[in-house]
Structures are given as structure tokens and as C-alpha cells.
Amino acid sequence: MTAVPRRRMVPAYLATGGRTRPGTAGFERLTVLYAAGAEPPQEVEDEHRRLWELLRPGALTVVEAAAHLRLPVSATVFLAADLVETGCLRARAPIPRAQQTDRSIVERLLVGLRTLR
């Protein structure tokens, strides 16, 4: 039988400091987070520092960061909101889905290209 790796479980209420709402407006699940360059203050919790270190090399969405930290998305939103308030992280809205191309325009373009022959 293979040993299952033990993971440290941090209850969401401990990671959020017992708060029920983040300090700033909440983020969507696909909000992109990236480090702003400034190192977090020494007095931040370990979970905040882990999030900042995770984002230092590049950007991740809230959902991806939550998966790496093994925390619920809701708890990750709290951590990210705290770090955005201190200026250690930046957040940007998710990239919107591309609009569907109108099929009739494409068909007219193809007809026009075929007549050029």
C-alpha cells in the first residue's frame, strides 16, 4: 500500500483571520493576480507570504493560486485582498471571452476571395 502524502490542513477561518468579508471588493475566480515587487511586511501571516512567493515569478488566477496553496478559493480571495491593500499584489480583471465571429461575414469574405481568382 502506498503512503498518502500528508498535507497540512489550514481551516479557512484561520487563514482569513475569522473575517467574513474581504477588506476590498471581492475578486472573481478568474481574476489575475501578480506580485507588485514590494515584499510583504514582516508582520503578515505565513499564508499571505506563501501567496506572495507563489506569485513572485509570474501571474496566476485566484483559482490557480488556491489550488497551489491548497486553500479554498474564498480564503485565497481574503489573502489576495489583504496583499492588494498593502500594495504587495496587483489584481486585474479576467480576460473576457472573445466574441463569436459573425458567420455571414466570414462566408461573404470567402465568396469575395474566390471571385478574385
Side-chain angles (χ1 to χ4, degrees):
M1 186 185 273
T2 333
V4 177
R6 294 181 60 187
R7 68 178 208 190
R8 191 182 81 169
M9 295 294 291
V10 176
Y13 67 88
L14 287 179
T16 63
R19 295 173 291 161
T20 58
R21 294 182 192 269
T24 61
F27 304 122
E28 295 180 30
R29 300 169 72 86
L30 296 178
T31 297
V32 179
L33 303 171
Y34 56 97
E39 196 163 321
Q42 294 297 327
E43 62 270 2
V44 296
E45 300 291 326
D46 289 340
E47 300 302 323
H48 289 88
R49 187 163 300 284
R50 284 182 52 217
L51 176 59
W52 182 82
E53 288 173 355
L54 177 67
L55 295 171
R56 188 170 30 175
L60 290 174
T61 62
V62 172
V63 173
E64 292 170 322
H68 283 287
L69 295 174
R70 295 184 178 183
L71 285 173
V73 174
S74 57
T76 306
V77 166
F78 277 86
L79 298 175
D82 292 345
L83 289 174
V84 166
E85 284 179 4
T86 62
C88 299
L89 286 186
R90 298 206 193 269
R92 94 174 146 70
I95 299 170
R97 286 187 165 205
Q99 295 179 348
Q100 295 293 324
T101 307
D102 186 8
R103 185 177 176 95
S104 65
I105 293 173
V106 175
E107 288 172 355
R108 289 188 305 195
L109 176 65
L110 285 174
V111 169
L113 290 172
R114 286 183 185 136
T115 59
L116 288 175
R117 288 185 193 184

